[in-house]
Amino acid sequence: QVQPVESGGGSVQAGGSLRLSCVAAAYGSACMGWFRQFPGKTREGVARIAATGNDRSYYADSVKGRFTISRDNLEKIVYLQMNSLKPEDTARYYCAAIMCDTWTSYSRWGQGTQVTVSS
């Protein structure tokens, strides 16, 4: 099973933006989600998008209005545009194929990409 590959993380100041990318060739048409993990905590769902052909999306309350999930169906890439970043967004971010309309993942976890927001 090939896991998604995340990239695009980095260090930014509060109020800045980053765009994360997730190459998910093996799951190109599946429902996909972005998750994040704080040190010592379990992963939490951040944003999810419906399967190809349906751009319905859902966001955790903590990121609603600041983050946008999208997908390039041709390239099989899922993006997470993160604006107005806050220090509390500092975490490692992962993407995964998920059961549609849930936070239940079924793909292997990749390495993730680290996002660090300084105040």
Side-chain angles (χ1 to χ4, degrees):
Q1 190 181 39
V2 178
Q3 66 266 35
V5 178
E6 305 92 345
S7 64
S11 298
V12 296
Q13 290 190 325
S17 298
L18 284 172
R19 188 176 79 156
L20 306 184
S21 299
C22 168
V23 178
Y27 307 98
S29 61
C31 294
M32 297 292 295
W34 278 98
F35 298 76
R36 64 186 179 187
Q37 187 169 24
F38 304 108
K41 303 290 186 181
T42 57
R43 284 187 188 93
E44 63 177 36
V46 173
R48 63 186 188 228
I49 190 165
T52 299
N54 181 341
D55 289 335
R56 186 176 69 250
S57 56
Y58 180 87
Y59 300 90
D61 287 343
S62 58
V63 306
K64 201 172 294 182
R66 299 187 298 122
F67 290 11
T68 303
I69 189 170
S70 62
R71 63 194 305 160
D72 180 328
N73 295 319
L74 186 63
E75 299 294 334
K76 294 181 171 48
I77 299 174
V78 181
Y79 298 101
L80 185 67
Q81 177 67 43
M82 306 187 297
N83 298 328
S84 302
L85 283 162
K86 304 176 181 180
E88 51 264 43
D89 294 318
T90 295
R92 196 157 192 90
Y93 285 71
Y94 301 83
C95 68
I98 57 173
M99 302 294 290
C100 295
D101 298 319
T102 77
W103 293 117
T104 303
S105 63
Y106 62 86
S107 58
R108 287 178 60 187
W109 294 106
Q111 296 296 311
T113 186
Q114 178 68 34
V115 171
T116 302
V117 185
S118 58
S119 58

